[in-house]
């Protein structure tokens, strides 16, 4: 595996791969890697001859400067973890100048899906996500990119960008990877104190119980209200808890196939997100 720090060096490698007819797979990340990221890498088995993992903590998707500064980083540990897989060809870890050169003033905005859920209280977040991911698509010239379903809204927005801009890349969704107590793997979990980590197990349990109540016929509003109260009682600040369509992200009134339960809730200053399908 080769560590690459500039877009020019990356371009030389990618150009050679394209001359040789290689298929390029991409896993974009912000580092602080865990088993969930490695699952994305493995999801490209049989789908790409070459694999690139990118690590870039994207400043323009953070509407809270403190959150950007506190985001966990550790390039050496990430590099070692990826090298152990034996299947990653390039780790692309650019600095900010390689992504946003002097004078950079362009943003990609997906109007509609960016205003709900996480977009509701994180204005500009998904503009930053859409912009940096498009930049990484262009710089890596990947044929296929893997994204986890834990960030399901992000997945939907990236799909929208690819469709609307006719980008020549396939988006591969990968199911959420969870710990033994069903908490979704996330780099932010590393910021939880031991006590908060114990509390965090209530989040997936509340979603599982809510889905069971919905499937048993409990009205959506009542099931969501009970779930939200359960989370508050467990010490969470609940930002949203919604039942929405997987396709449009619009709210739905019935718990049926194609619907998904979405939540964002915080323990202290650590914001956790999760989602689970109805069926």
């Amino acid at each position: 595996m080769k560590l690459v720090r500039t877009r020019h060096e990356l371009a030389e490698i990618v150009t050679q791969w394209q001359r040789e007819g290689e298929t390029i797979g991409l896993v974009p990340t912000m580092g602080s890697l865990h088993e969930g990221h490695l699952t994305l890498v493995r999801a490209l088995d049989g789908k790409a001859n070459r694999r690139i993992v990118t690590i870039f903590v994207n400043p323009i998707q953070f509407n809270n400067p403190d959150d950007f500064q506190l985001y966990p980083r550790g390039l050496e540990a990430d590099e070692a973890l990826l090298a152990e897989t034996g299947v990653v060809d390039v780790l692309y870890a650019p600095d900010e100048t390689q992504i946003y050169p002097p004078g950079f003033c362009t943003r990609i905005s997906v109007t509609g899906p960016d205003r709900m859920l996480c977009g509701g209280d994180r204005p500009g977040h998904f503009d930053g996500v859409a912009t940096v991911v498009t930049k990484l698509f262009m710089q890596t010239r990947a044929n296929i990119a893997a994204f986890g379903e834990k960030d399901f809204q992000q997945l939907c927005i990236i799909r929208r960008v690819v469709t609307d801009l006719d980008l020549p890349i396939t988006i591969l969704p990968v199911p959420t990877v969870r710990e033994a107590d069903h908490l979704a793997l996330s780099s932010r979990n590393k910021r939880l104190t031991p006590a908060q980590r114990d509390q965090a197990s209530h989040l997936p349990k509340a979603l599982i119980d809510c889905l069971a109540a919905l499937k048993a016929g409990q009205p959506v509003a009542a099931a969501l209200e009970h779930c939200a109260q359960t989370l508050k009682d467990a010490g969470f600040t609940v930002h949203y808890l919604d039942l929405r369509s997987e396709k449009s992200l619009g709210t739905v009134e019935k718990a049926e196939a194609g619907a998904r339960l979405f939540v964002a809730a915080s323990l202290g200053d650590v914001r956790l997100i999760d989602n689970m399908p109805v069926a």
Side-chain angles (χ1 to χ4, degrees):
M1 185 184 76
K2 185 175 180 61
L3 174 62
V4 174
R5 303 306 298 264
T6 71
R7 63 181 184 271
H8 299 295
E9 184 181 5
L10 179 66
E12 291 179 354
I13 294 170
V14 169
T15 298
Q16 184 59 38
W17 285 349
Q18 290 181 322
R19 286 172 181 160
E20 295 168 355
E22 304 280 26
T23 302
I24 301 170
L26 171 66
V27 177
T29 84
M30 292 206 298
S32 192
L33 303 182
H34 50 67
E35 182 59 30
H37 297 107
L38 300 185
T39 298
L40 298 179
V41 172
R42 291 192 289 267
L44 294 170
D45 287 353
K47 298 178 176 64
N49 305 112
R50 298 290 187 176
R51 280 176 251 210
I52 301 173
V53 174
T54 66
I55 293 179
F56 179 68
V57 183
N58 179 33
I60 70 169
Q61 72 184 64
F62 288 85
N63 56 316
N64 181 343
D66 291 337
D67 197 21
F68 173 68
Q69 294 298 328
L70 290 171
Y71 195 87
R73 295 164 171 85
L75 181 59
E76 288 186 7
D78 290 341
E79 184 180 3
L81 191 63
L82 292 174
E84 288 176 4
T85 69
V87 297
V88 177
D89 297 280
V90 166
L91 167 56
Y92 179 46
D95 65 20
E96 191 171 336
T97 65
Q98 299 301 307
I99 303 296
Y100 306 121
F104 187 89
C105 59
T106 301
R107 295 289 188 276
I108 293 177
S109 180
V110 181
T111 305
D114 69 323
R115 308 295 168 84
M116 56 188 72
L117 299 173
C118 282
D121 55 2
R122 300 184 71 187
H125 169 70
F126 286 112
D127 287 359
V129 170
T131 300
V132 75
V133 169
T134 302
K135 289 277 291 187
L136 293 171
F137 287 169
M138 301 300 290
Q139 290 186 2
T140 63
R141 289 178 254 166
N143 304 101
I144 183 169
F147 288 85
E149 291 184 349
K150 183 183 79 71
D151 297 312
F152 200 88
Q153 184 177 11
Q154 172 181 276
L155 172 63
C156 291
I157 286 174
I158 295 305
R159 282 172 162 165
R160 188 76 263 165
V161 170
V162 168
T163 298
D164 289 355
L165 299 184
D166 302 317
L167 300 181
I169 188 169
T170 298
I171 303 303
L172 176 67
V174 180
T176 302
V177 180
R178 299 181 180 276
E179 299 191 35
D181 61 1
H182 302 294
L183 181 68
L185 288 180
S186 170
S187 300
R188 294 178 185 273
N189 294 353
K190 297 177 182 179
R191 291 179 52 202
L192 296 170
T193 67
Q196 288 174 331
R197 178 60 187 82
D198 289 340
Q199 286 177 275
S201 65
H202 291 279
L203 183 62
K205 183 179 185 303
L207 295 187
I208 291 168
D209 290 346
C210 184
L211 288 173
L214 289 169
K215 292 175 184 177
Q218 187 172 2
V220 171
L224 293 180
E225 182 179 358
H226 178 76
C227 183
Q229 188 59 53
T230 298
L231 290 171
K232 292 174 184 177
D233 292 343
F236 285 89
T237 298
V238 179
H239 302 288
Y240 62 75
L241 176 66
D242 289 333
L243 186 69
R244 292 181 175 262
S245 164
E246 291 184 340
K247 291 185 177 180
S248 69
L249 295 182
T251 55
V252 295
E253 302 300 324
K254 295 182 180 180
E256 55 191 7
R260 189 172 283 257
L261 193 59
F262 291 86
V263 66
S266 293
L267 290 171
D269 64 351
V270 183
R271 178 188 175 100
L272 302 175
I273 63 171
D274 203 347
N275 66 87
M276 294 183 184
V278 169

